[in-house]
Amino acid sequence: MLKITSHQNPKFKAAVKLHSSRGRKQQNRFLIPGVREVQRAIGNAEIEVAEVLICAELLDAAMTAEVVDRCAQAKVPVFSLPIDLFGKLAYGERVEGLVAIAFRPTRNLDDLCLASKMLIVVVEGIEKPGNLGAVARSADGAGVSALISCDGQTDFFHPNAIRSSIGATLTLPCAEAESGTTRDWLIKNNFSIYAALVGAALTYQDVEYPQRTAIVLGNEASGLSQIWREPPIVPVALPMRGIGDSLNISVAAAILMYEAGNQFAA
Protein backbone atom coordinates (compact mmCIF):
# COMPACT_ATOMS: atom_id res chain seq x y z
CA MET A 1 0.00 0.00 0.00
CA LEU A 2 1.48 3.30 -1.14
CA LYS A 3 1.31 6.51 0.90
CA ILE A 4 0.18 10.03 0.05
CA THR A 5 1.43 12.53 2.63
CA SER A 6 1.33 15.94 0.92
CA HIS A 7 -1.41 18.30 -0.26
CA GLN A 8 0.77 18.85 -3.32
CA ASN A 9 0.66 15.21 -4.40
CA PRO A 10 -0.76 15.16 -7.98
CA LYS A 11 -3.08 12.23 -7.23
CA PHE A 12 -4.48 13.98 -4.18
CA LYS A 13 -4.99 17.27 -6.03
CA ALA A 14 -6.77 15.49 -8.89
CA ALA A 15 -8.99 13.59 -6.45
CA VAL A 16 -10.11 16.77 -4.65
CA LYS A 17 -11.27 18.26 -7.97
CA LEU A 18 -13.71 15.38 -8.39
CA HIS A 19 -16.08 17.04 -5.91
CA SER A 20 -17.12 19.39 -8.72
CA SER A 21 -19.09 18.57 -11.87
CA ARG A 22 -16.40 20.33 -13.90
CA GLY A 23 -13.65 18.22 -12.37
CA ARG A 24 -15.57 14.99 -13.04
CA LYS A 25 -16.11 15.93 -16.68
CA GLN A 26 -12.52 17.05 -17.23
CA GLN A 27 -11.05 13.84 -15.78
CA ASN A 28 -13.88 11.53 -16.88
CA ARG A 29 -13.71 10.09 -13.36
CA PHE A 30 -15.74 10.35 -10.14
CA LEU A 31 -15.48 9.79 -6.39
CA ILE A 32 -17.19 6.94 -4.58
CA PRO A 33 -17.40 7.78 -0.84
CA GLY A 34 -18.17 5.26 1.90
CA VAL A 35 -17.46 1.65 2.82
CA ARG A 36 -20.65 0.07 1.44
CA GLU A 37 -20.47 2.12 -1.74
CA VAL A 38 -16.82 1.23 -2.43
CA GLN A 39 -17.46 -2.44 -1.71
CA ARG A 40 -20.25 -2.46 -4.27
CA ALA A 41 -17.99 -0.85 -6.86
CA ILE A 42 -14.96 -3.14 -6.51
CA GLY A 43 -15.47 -6.13 -8.74
CA ASN A 44 -18.55 -4.64 -10.41
CA ALA A 45 -18.19 -5.30 -14.13
CA GLU A 46 -19.94 -2.00 -14.94
CA ILE A 47 -17.56 0.15 -12.89
CA GLU A 48 -13.83 0.44 -13.57
CA VAL A 49 -12.21 1.46 -10.29
CA ALA A 50 -8.95 3.34 -10.87
CA GLU A 51 -7.69 3.52 -7.29
CA VAL A 52 -8.79 3.30 -3.66
CA LEU A 53 -7.81 5.78 -0.95
CA ILE A 54 -7.76 4.67 2.70
CA CYS A 55 -7.40 6.46 6.02
CA ALA A 56 -6.34 3.72 8.45
CA GLU A 57 -7.09 6.04 11.39
CA LEU A 58 -10.79 5.88 10.48
CA LEU A 59 -10.99 2.21 9.46
CA ASP A 60 -10.48 -0.73 11.80
CA ALA A 61 -7.68 -3.15 10.99
CA ALA A 62 -9.99 -5.94 9.80
CA MET A 63 -11.80 -3.69 7.30
CA THR A 64 -8.51 -2.26 6.06
CA ALA A 65 -7.14 -5.75 5.46
CA GLU A 66 -10.34 -6.82 3.69
CA VAL A 67 -10.31 -3.81 1.37
CA VAL A 68 -6.63 -4.18 0.57
CA ASP A 69 -7.14 -7.88 -0.20
CA ARG A 70 -10.13 -7.25 -2.48
CA CYS A 71 -8.24 -4.49 -4.29
CA ALA A 72 -5.26 -6.81 -4.79
CA GLN A 73 -7.54 -9.42 -6.34
CA ALA A 74 -9.09 -6.80 -8.62
CA LYS A 75 -5.64 -5.30 -9.37
CA VAL A 76 -6.69 -1.89 -8.04
CA PRO A 77 -3.92 0.22 -6.44
CA VAL A 78 -4.48 1.37 -2.83
CA PHE A 79 -3.13 4.57 -1.31
CA SER A 80 -2.99 5.45 2.38
CA LEU A 81 -3.67 9.04 3.52
CA PRO A 82 -3.39 10.70 6.94
CA ILE A 83 -6.62 11.97 8.45
CA ASP A 84 -6.00 15.64 7.61
CA LEU A 85 -5.68 14.87 3.90
CA PHE A 86 -8.51 12.37 3.85
CA GLY A 87 -10.85 14.96 5.37
CA LYS A 88 -10.50 16.97 2.15
CA LEU A 89 -11.74 13.99 0.11
CA ALA A 90 -14.55 12.73 2.35
CA TYR A 91 -18.07 13.81 1.46
CA GLY A 92 -20.81 14.70 3.92
CA GLU A 93 -20.95 14.01 7.62
CA ARG A 94 -20.47 10.24 7.39
CA VAL A 95 -16.68 10.00 7.11
CA GLU A 96 -15.74 6.32 6.95
CA GLY A 97 -12.10 6.29 5.92
CA LEU A 98 -12.62 4.83 2.45
CA VAL A 99 -12.98 6.49 -0.95
CA ALA A 100 -12.62 5.05 -4.44
CA ILE A 101 -12.00 6.82 -7.72
CA ALA A 102 -13.56 5.26 -10.81
CA PHE A 103 -13.75 6.00 -14.49
CA ARG A 104 -17.09 7.42 -15.56
CA PRO A 105 -19.04 4.83 -17.58
CA THR A 106 -21.19 5.70 -20.59
CA ARG A 107 -24.81 6.20 -19.61
CA ASN A 108 -26.82 6.70 -22.82
CA LEU A 109 -30.27 5.41 -23.78
CA ASP A 110 -28.82 3.02 -26.33
CA ASP A 111 -26.68 1.44 -23.59
CA LEU A 112 -29.82 0.17 -21.83
CA CYS A 113 -30.61 -3.47 -22.51
CA LEU A 114 -34.20 -3.94 -23.63
CA ALA A 115 -36.35 -6.87 -22.55
CA SER A 116 -39.95 -7.89 -23.18
CA LYS A 117 -40.89 -7.06 -19.58
CA MET A 118 -39.49 -3.78 -18.24
CA LEU A 119 -40.35 -1.07 -15.74
CA ILE A 120 -38.47 2.16 -16.43
CA VAL A 121 -38.61 5.30 -14.29
CA VAL A 122 -37.91 8.72 -15.80
CA VAL A 123 -37.21 11.81 -13.68
CA GLU A 124 -37.11 15.28 -15.21
CA GLY A 125 -35.38 18.40 -13.98
CA ILE A 126 -33.91 17.06 -10.73
CA GLU A 127 -31.71 19.68 -9.11
CA LYS A 128 -30.56 18.00 -5.90
CA PRO A 129 -28.20 15.01 -6.12
CA GLY A 130 -29.64 13.68 -2.86
CA ASN A 131 -33.07 13.41 -4.48
CA LEU A 132 -31.64 11.61 -7.50
CA GLY A 133 -29.82 9.19 -5.24
CA ALA A 134 -32.94 8.58 -3.14
CA VAL A 135 -34.96 7.78 -6.27
CA ALA A 136 -32.24 5.35 -7.39
CA ARG A 137 -32.26 3.66 -3.98
CA SER A 138 -36.04 3.12 -4.16
CA ALA A 139 -35.79 2.00 -7.79
CA ASP A 140 -33.27 -0.64 -6.79
CA GLY A 141 -35.52 -1.83 -3.99
CA ALA A 142 -38.64 -1.93 -6.18
CA GLY A 143 -36.94 -3.96 -8.90
CA VAL A 144 -37.01 -1.22 -11.53
CA SER A 145 -35.30 -2.16 -14.79
CA ALA A 146 -33.69 1.23 -15.47
CA LEU A 147 -33.67 4.86 -14.33
CA ILE A 148 -33.44 7.76 -16.78
CA SER A 149 -32.63 11.34 -15.77
CA CYS A 150 -33.79 14.03 -18.20
CA ASP A 151 -32.66 17.65 -18.30
CA GLY A 152 -31.40 17.53 -14.71
CA GLN A 153 -28.95 19.87 -13.03
CA THR A 154 -27.07 17.03 -11.34
CA ASP A 155 -25.81 13.60 -12.35
CA PHE A 156 -25.61 10.01 -11.18
CA PHE A 157 -21.92 10.43 -10.31
CA HIS A 158 -22.24 13.30 -7.85
CA PRO A 159 -20.85 12.02 -4.53
CA ASN A 160 -24.11 12.84 -2.75
CA ALA A 161 -26.16 10.96 -5.37
CA ILE A 162 -23.96 7.91 -4.82
CA ARG A 163 -24.10 8.28 -1.03
CA SER A 164 -27.90 8.82 -0.93
CA SER A 165 -28.45 5.78 -3.12
CA ILE A 166 -26.09 3.63 -0.99
CA GLY A 167 -24.32 2.75 -4.22
CA ALA A 168 -27.45 1.98 -6.27
CA THR A 169 -26.45 4.55 -8.92
CA LEU A 170 -23.41 2.35 -9.56
CA THR A 171 -25.35 -0.90 -10.05
CA LEU A 172 -28.76 0.12 -11.39
CA PRO A 173 -28.95 0.57 -15.19
CA CYS A 174 -29.13 4.35 -15.65
CA ALA A 175 -29.08 6.82 -18.52
CA GLU A 176 -29.08 10.58 -19.03
CA ALA A 177 -30.82 12.23 -21.99
CA GLU A 178 -33.00 15.15 -23.06
CA SER A 179 -36.72 14.83 -22.41
CA GLY A 180 -37.75 14.88 -26.06
CA THR A 181 -35.17 12.26 -27.00
CA THR A 182 -36.28 10.04 -24.11
CA ARG A 183 -39.98 10.37 -24.98
CA ASP A 184 -39.30 9.39 -28.60
CA TRP A 185 -37.10 6.48 -27.50
CA LEU A 186 -39.78 5.12 -25.19
CA ILE A 187 -42.49 5.36 -27.83
CA LYS A 188 -40.25 3.79 -30.47
CA ASN A 189 -39.60 0.85 -28.14
CA ASN A 190 -43.30 0.33 -27.36
CA PHE A 191 -43.40 1.55 -23.77
CA SER A 192 -46.68 2.68 -22.27
CA ILE A 193 -45.90 5.98 -20.55
CA TYR A 194 -47.55 7.22 -17.35
CA ALA A 195 -46.83 10.73 -16.13
CA ALA A 196 -47.37 11.75 -12.50
CA LEU A 197 -49.48 14.92 -12.71
CA VAL A 198 -51.47 16.75 -10.04
CA GLY A 199 -55.20 16.62 -10.72
CA ALA A 200 -55.16 13.72 -13.18
CA ALA A 201 -58.49 11.89 -13.37
CA LEU A 202 -56.79 8.49 -13.13
CA THR A 203 -54.96 7.51 -9.95
CA TYR A 204 -51.84 5.38 -9.94
CA GLN A 205 -53.80 2.49 -8.40
CA ASP A 206 -56.37 2.49 -11.21
CA VAL A 207 -53.79 1.42 -13.77
CA GLU A 208 -53.01 -2.11 -14.90
CA TYR A 209 -49.41 -1.57 -15.93
CA PRO A 210 -48.42 -3.39 -19.16
CA GLN A 211 -45.28 -5.43 -19.85
CA ARG A 212 -43.29 -2.38 -20.97
CA THR A 213 -44.09 0.52 -18.65
CA ALA A 214 -42.40 3.87 -18.11
CA ILE A 215 -43.32 6.13 -15.18
CA VAL A 216 -42.34 9.81 -15.44
CA LEU A 217 -42.00 12.31 -12.59
CA GLY A 218 -40.96 15.96 -12.46
CA ASN A 219 -39.43 18.03 -9.68
CA GLU A 220 -41.57 19.56 -6.93
CA ALA A 221 -41.10 23.16 -8.04
CA SER A 222 -42.09 23.07 -11.70
CA GLY A 223 -43.50 19.60 -12.31
CA LEU A 224 -43.26 18.02 -15.75
CA SER A 225 -42.66 19.92 -18.98
CA GLN A 226 -45.24 19.98 -21.79
CA ILE A 227 -43.41 17.14 -23.53
CA TRP A 228 -44.85 14.74 -20.96
CA ARG A 229 -48.39 16.18 -20.96
CA GLU A 230 -49.55 15.13 -24.43
CA PRO A 231 -50.87 11.86 -25.93
CA PRO A 232 -49.98 9.01 -25.98
CA ILE A 233 -48.80 9.71 -22.44
CA VAL A 234 -51.35 8.88 -19.73
CA PRO A 235 -51.52 11.24 -16.71
CA VAL A 236 -51.91 9.62 -13.29
CA ALA A 237 -52.30 11.19 -9.87
CA LEU A 238 -51.29 10.42 -6.32
CA PRO A 239 -54.23 11.46 -4.12
CA MET A 240 -53.30 14.32 -1.77
CA ARG A 241 -55.55 14.36 1.29
CA GLY A 242 -53.88 17.13 3.26
CA ILE A 243 -52.91 20.77 2.66
CA GLY A 244 -50.01 19.95 0.33
CA ASP A 245 -50.39 19.50 -3.42
CA SER A 246 -47.33 17.34 -4.05
CA LEU A 247 -44.80 14.97 -2.47
CA ASN A 248 -41.02 14.99 -2.58
CA ILE A 249 -40.05 13.35 -5.87
CA SER A 250 -38.25 10.48 -4.14
CA VAL A 251 -41.36 9.67 -2.06
CA ALA A 252 -43.74 9.92 -5.02
CA ALA A 253 -41.41 7.80 -7.13
CA ALA A 254 -41.21 5.12 -4.45
CA ILE A 255 -45.02 4.85 -4.22
CA LEU A 256 -45.43 4.56 -8.00
CA MET A 257 -42.51 2.18 -8.45
CA TYR A 258 -43.69 -0.22 -5.77
CA GLU A 259 -47.26 -0.26 -7.10
CA ALA A 260 -46.08 -1.07 -10.62
CA GLY A 261 -43.36 -3.40 -9.33
CA ASN A 262 -45.86 -5.37 -7.25
CA GLN A 263 -48.03 -5.83 -10.33
CA PHE A 264 -45.01 -7.03 -12.30
CA ALA A 265 -44.10 -9.49 -9.55
CA ALA A 266 -47.65 -10.88 -9.19
Side-chain angles (χ1 to χ4, degrees):
M1 185 163 52
L2 302 173
K3 291 185 178 181
I4 294 175
T5 58
S6 170
H7 287 81
Q8 300 305 313
N9 182 285
K11 282 189 175 293
F12 175 77
K13 293 170 70 174
V16 170
K17 292 179 180 179
L18 296 176
H19 281 300
S20 71
S21 175
R22 180 180 180 183
R24 293 192 293 275
K25 289 179 180 178
Q26 287 179 338
Q27 297 183 40
N28 200 34
R29 305 191 308 166
F30 64 101
L31 278 177
I32 304 173
V35 172
R36 288 176 297 184
E37 293 82 354
V38 172
Q39 288 177 325
R40 289 171 181 173
I42 297 172
N44 183 340
E46 302 297 323
I47 303 296
E48 184 182 354
V49 178
E51 55 205 41
V52 168
L53 308 174
I54 283 180
C55 179
E57 297 168 75
L58 297 172
L59 278 182
D60 61 47
M63 178 59 69
T64 299
E66 179 185 336
V67 171
V68 171
D69 182 61
R70 289 189 63 186
C71 287
Q73 293 179 34
K75 298 182 179 179
V76 174
V78 179
F79 296 88
S80 174
L81 284 74
I83 195 168
D84 62 320
L85 290 188
F86 192 85
K88 302 292 184 181
L89 293 179
Y91 194 88
E93 296 180 358
R94 179 161 56 95
V95 180
E96 297 182 340
L98 187 61
V99 167
I101 296 174
F103 294 102
R104 183 176 178 135
T106 303
R107 291 282 176 93
N108 299 320
L109 293 175
D110 290 338
D111 296 314
L112 298 177
C113 295
L114 293 172
S116 58
K117 188 175 183 179
M118 291 188 75
L119 173 59
I120 288 180
V121 172
V122 180
V123 290
E124 182 185 51
I126 286 191
E127 300 176 355
K128 298 178 181 179
N131 278 343
L132 183 60
V135 173
R137 181 176 180 176
S138 295
D140 176 71
V144 167
S145 306
L147 175 62
I148 301 171
S149 177
C150 296
D151 303 335
Q153 297 181 35
T154 187
D155 63 84
F156 291 110
F157 305 107
H158 190 288
N160 199 28
I162 296 171
R163 176 60 64 86
S164 299
S165 74
I166 316 181
T169 57
L170 306 176
T171 57
L172 181 72
C174 299
E176 297 176 359
E178 295 180 349
S179 290
T181 302
T182 301
R183 180 183 184 275
D184 293 346
W185 182 86
L186 290 169
I187 293 171
K188 175 185 175 183
N189 288 292
N190 301 312
F191 280 87
S192 297
I193 308 172
Y194 300 88
L197 292 170
V198 175
L202 196 67
T203 75
Y204 75 99
Q205 292 174 311
D206 296 327
V207 177
E208 185 174 335
Y209 296 98
Q211 294 289 292
R212 279 192 173 182
T213 290
I215 295 172
V216 189
L217 303 100
N219 67 35
E220 301 96 318
S222 55
L224 287 169
S225 65
Q226 191 62 35
I227 288 173
W228 301 107
R229 296 173 180 265
E230 300 171 353
I233 295 166
V234 179
V236 295
L238 280 79
M240 299 297 296
R241 301 184 176 98
I243 62 171
D245 61 0
S246 65
L247 298 173
N248 176 278
I249 187 171
S250 63
V251 176
I255 293 170
L256 290 165
M257 288 187 285
Y258 269 90
E259 175 65 28
N262 288 341
Q263 289 190 24
F264 272 47

